[in-house]
Amino acid sequence: METVLGIESSCDETAAALVTGDRTILAQRIASQDEAHRPYGGIVPEIAARAHAERLAPLIEAVLAEADMSLDDVDAIAATAGPGLIGGVMVGLVTAKALAMASDKPLIAINHLEGHALSPRLSDETLAFPYLLLLVSGGHCQLLLVEGVGRYRRLATTIDDALGEAFDKTAKMLGLGYPGGPAVERLAAEGDPEAVSLPRPLLGSSEPHFSFAGLKSAVLRAKQSGEHEDADIAAAFQQAAIDCVVDRTRRAIERVDDVNALVVAGGVAANAAVRLALEELADTNGLRFVAPPLSLCTDNAAMIAWAGLERLATGQNDPLDFVARPRWPLDPDAEPVRGAGVKA
Ligand code: KG4
Ligand code: ZN
């Protein structure tokens, strides 16, 4: 049974994990940097890179110790090589290269988005290709046809903000601090989504693309008007965002044939209301719905190790001079969309 050490450091979570080819997570550790970034209301790249550099080596030691293994017992070392904040990505990738060189094991450079895209197959062994994937995180909002390992066709993307970004900005406007998504979800549960009228950008448009900038501005106006409870604004925002996501995903479902499932992954997939709405959409369309457990939705190293195992199984690994890629689309052939690609 193959075992891969996974390393994640592309954003504000430093993580290491050991995963086996039969989908067992032998050990995993995540060090969040929320405290370090909280005073700034968002991620400061320089602080993130330093924190990764301090924390990564002890985390790797800890997962090896927990699994009672040494590097000799590992079959490959997989690390996120992009997209993401370049300082953090370099810390993880260079560490992985050094370990691969010292232990004479293959290096596998993982696209972080591929980690999210394949994560549902780590938790669900019956999930077969092809599937329709809604990838919703802090930096990305895409609909992809996942045809196989390394074979992704982008059907839609956001023309402005990512969905997680919209949650984070709403949280900031409501003074909920950072990270925003979970805080908005908690507050929304206490509010009335009908109490504030908010727009649903691109609803009904023919291409399945996303837009959240107009919704974000409307949230700001609702807050500044002083006429609404914060909980109602949070609830109305979340409902408007979900309406958009469901409408756009429905449009994508119309464009694909013979997919095995509707799958959601990425940090926003941790949102219970989002999951429920997508599950209903899948039901209505006679599709299976698959979402990874919450711990595999937000950034983690088990999904990186798993993507490494999937790549290893297809005979792929990477040279030690692999260059970190702060921008790295899953589907390089996708047509550019006006306004899209602004965010890494
Ligand atoms: O995948 P992820 O951990 O990091 C990126 O690759 O971006 O996603 C983080 C994003 C953040 O924007 C965070 O606010 C959002 O996922 N998020 C949520 C929830 N949990 C995390 N958004 C809405 N509801 C949640 N429960
Ligand atoms: Zn992520």
Side-chain angles (χ1 to χ4, degrees), residues 27-269:
Q28 69 165 325
R29 297 279 165 107
I30 303 181
S32 154
Q33 304 175 5
D34 291 350
E35 292 305 324
H37 299 291
R38 186 162 288 132
Y40 307 94
I43 300 163
V44 184
E46 176 69 19
I47 292 176
R50 284 167 185 260
H52 289 304
E54 283 164 18
R55 294 170 195 195
L56 184 56
L59 285 184
I60 294 170
E61 275 195 313
V63 292
L64 285 168
E66 190 183 328
D68 200 17
M69 290 177 115
S70 75
L71 278 183
D72 289 340
D73 308 315
V74 166
D75 294 285
I77 294 149
T80 295
L85 299 171
I86 187 69
V89 171
M90 299 272 285
V91 169
L93 184 59
V94 168
T95 302
K97 286 178 178 179
L99 295 178
M101 195 159 62
S103 62
D104 202 21
K105 298 289 163 70
L107 168 79
I108 310 178
I110 300 293
N111 182 319
H112 178 84
L113 301 174
E114 179 167 53
H116 281 302
L118 298 176
S119 65
R121 281 167 52 85
L122 168 55
S123 52
D124 188 332
E125 63 177 319
T126 66
L127 177 61
F129 303 117
Y131 50 86
L132 177 63
L133 171 73
L134 173 68
L135 175 48
V136 275
S137 69
H140 296 87
C141 187
Q142 303 184 348
L143 283 155
L144 295 149
L145 181 62
V146 181
E147 297 176 313
V149 178
R151 291 169 52 214
Y152 310 96
R153 200 149 65 75
R154 197 193 73 191
L155 305 171
T157 187
T158 177
I159 62 169
D160 41 56
D161 295 346
L163 182 55
E165 192 180 0
F167 268 92
D168 291 334
K169 287 178 177 168
T170 295
K172 205 167 180 176
M173 290 184 261
L174 298 180
L176 298 177
Y178 172 86
V184 170
E185 181 178 13
R186 276 193 299 276
L187 188 61
E190 297 163 21
D192 172 9
E194 310 285 320
V196 189
S197 156
L198 294 175
R200 274 114 175 107
L202 294 184
L203 202 81
S205 81
S206 61
E207 294 290 324
H209 296 308
F210 301 87
S211 167
F212 296 105
L215 174 57
K216 176 185 67 186
S217 311
V219 167
L220 183 62
R221 284 194 298 275
K223 172 69 183 167
Q224 286 175 339
S225 75
E227 291 167 13
H228 305 287
E229 299 289 335
D230 284 357
D232 291 341
I233 298 176
F237 160 76
Q238 184 172 275
Q239 191 55 53
I242 287 173
D243 288 351
C244 294
V245 166
V246 167
D247 177 73
R248 312 292 58 223
T249 307
R250 182 185 298 118
R251 187 65 55 150
I253 290 173
E254 291 167 10
R255 295 190 167 201
V256 293
D257 296 318
D258 299 329
V259 289
N260 289 307
L262 170 63
V263 176
V264 64
V268 187

Side-chain angles (χ1 to χ4, degrees), residues 8 10-11 112-113 116 135 137-140 266-267 297-300 303:
E8 161 60 33
S10 65
C11 194
H112 178 84
L113 301 174
H116 281 302
L135 175 48
S137 69
H140 296 87
C297 288
T298 46
D299 285 350
N300 65 89
M303 71 179 190

